[in-house]
Amino acid sequence: TAGITQAPTSQILAAGRSMTLRCTQDMRHNAMYWYRQDLGLGLRLIHYSNTAGTTGKGEVPDGYSVSRANTDDFPLTLASAVPSQTSVYFCASSEGRGGHNEQFFGPGTRLTVL
Amino acid sequence: GQNIDQPTEMTATEGAIVQINCTYQTSGFNGLFWYQQHAGEAPTFLSYNVLDGLEEKGRFSSFLSRSKGYSYLLLKELQMKDSASYLCAVRPNDYKLSFGAGTTVTVRA
């Protein structure tokens, strides 16, 4: 079982360009999340989706958008990249029901905006 | 907002015990998680506490006191492979997590 996959693994992007980070899970999890991880700041939630067709804003949503057309895919789009968006981006998913509901993380995308 | 604090770095010797503390002030509480993250890799789940007390899982244990807003992760019989960052995360409500900045543990021979 693949779990969660992310693409690309890494990317260098010119400021002002747009980019979509892809995330796919095969666990049939209801909930999915996008985080960015920066040194000294830990993981910060960008956007989330509790179920297909719904999305919500996290702690740092500005400059990012997401969509959740189906259960498996949760792409993150940067419409016009800025250098402050240089970071490691992690996608995660969870069952989205009561109890444990631990989050499973993808391998990450390392993005550099120049 | 949510406030989750943990030490930045800790160093310990192989075979020893290390305790990583985490204090939190959040708008709600619906569980506390510990994750392990090796350099350049994704976080992986270690433990979950929702009731007060100690949860033991092999060499790792996690403790929670909800009244004190406090948790710790205890790593026993340290091995070199335990060198990693350990992330404390609180679930204030529904399914979202708020993470601390992480504690980098270095195990020395």
Side-chain angles (χ1 to χ4, degrees), chain A residues 52-73:
Chain A
T54 69
T55 63
K57 294 182 179 180
E59 183 184 353
V60 288
D62 294 343
Y64 306 95
S65 64
V66 291
S67 61
R68 186 86 185 278
N70 56 61
T71 298
D72 299 343
D73 301 300

Side-chain angles (χ1 to χ4, degrees), chain A residues 33 37 96 99-101 103 106, chain B residues 33 35 37 42 45 91 95-96:
Chain A
Y33 317 85
Q37 187 173 38
H100 211 134
N101 201 39
Q103 292 186 14
Chain B
F33 295 77
Y35 282 81
Q37 185 178 24
F45 169 77
R91 186 169 64 197
Y95 312 126
K96 301 191 293 294

Side-chain angles (χ1 to χ4, degrees), chain A residues 33 35 37 40 42-43 45 48 50 90 96-97 99-103 105-107, chain B residues 33 35 37 40-43 45 47-48 87 91 94-97 99-102:
Chain A
Y33 317 85
Y35 295 90
Q37 187 173 38
L43 287 159
L45 183 66
Y48 66 95
N50 285 336
F90 287 102
R97 288 182 286 273
H100 211 134
N101 201 39
E102 73 191 73
Q103 292 186 14
F105 286 80
Chain B
F33 295 77
Y35 282 81
Q37 185 178 24
E41 298 183 6
F45 169 77
S47 69
Y48 168 71
L87 314 179
R91 186 169 64 197
D94 59 44
Y95 312 126
K96 301 191 293 294
L97 294 179
F99 283 84

Side-chain angles (χ1 to χ4, degrees), chain B residues 33-51:
Chain B
F33 295 77
W34 285 96
Y35 282 81
Q36 180 189 58
Q37 185 178 24
H38 285 100
E41 298 183 6
T44 55
F45 169 77
L46 281 180
S47 69
Y48 168 71
N49 295 72
V50 67
L51 299 176

Side-chain angles (χ1 to χ4, degrees), chain B residues 8-77:
Chain B
T8 303
E9 295 180 333
M10 302 182 75
T11 301
T13 304
E14 196 173 16
I17 298 173
V18 69
Q19 177 174 315
I20 306 169
N21 296 324
C22 173
T23 58
Y24 62 89
Q25 290 177 302
T26 55
S27 55
F29 183 82
N30 192 23
L32 186 143
F33 295 77
W34 285 96
Y35 282 81
Q36 180 189 58
Q37 185 178 24
H38 285 100
E41 298 183 6
T44 55
F45 169 77
L46 281 180
S47 69
Y48 168 71
N49 295 72
V50 67
L51 299 176
D52 290 352
L54 188 69
E55 293 283 342
E56 297 186 87
K57 190 184 296 185
R59 293 188 298 113
F60 294 178
S61 303
S62 57
F63 172 83
L64 174 67
S65 169
R66 290 172 296 172
S67 63
K68 296 182 179 178
Y70 168 70
S71 172
Y72 68 72
L73 179 69
L74 194 70
L75 285 63
K76 295 176 280 190
E77 301 170 18

Side-chain angles (χ1 to χ4, degrees), chain A residues 3-95:
Chain A
I4 301 182
T5 58
Q6 293 184 235
T9 302
S10 65
Q11 182 74 45
I12 298 174
L13 187 67
R17 298 297 294 269
S18 67
M19 178 170 185
T20 295
L21 280 60
R22 300 185 298 279
C23 174
T24 300
Q25 54 104 358
D26 64 1
M27 297 177 282
R28 306 304 294 171
H29 283 171
N30 287 312
M32 297 186 75
Y33 317 85
W34 273 106
Y35 295 90
R36 59 177 292 173
Q37 187 173 38
D38 304 288
L39 197 62
L41 296 177
L43 287 159
R44 292 182 293 168
L45 183 66
I46 304 171
H47 285 287
Y48 66 95
S49 169
N50 285 336
T51 189
T54 69
T55 63
K57 294 182 179 180
E59 183 184 353
V60 288
D62 294 343
Y64 306 95
S65 64
V66 291
S67 61
R68 186 86 185 278
N70 56 61
T71 298
D72 299 343
D73 301 300
F74 191 42
L76 177 74
T77 298
L78 288 69
S80 179
V82 295
S84 62
Q85 292 178 310
T86 293
S87 186
V88 180
Y89 291 85
F90 287 102
C91 179
S93 71
S94 67
E95 287 189 354

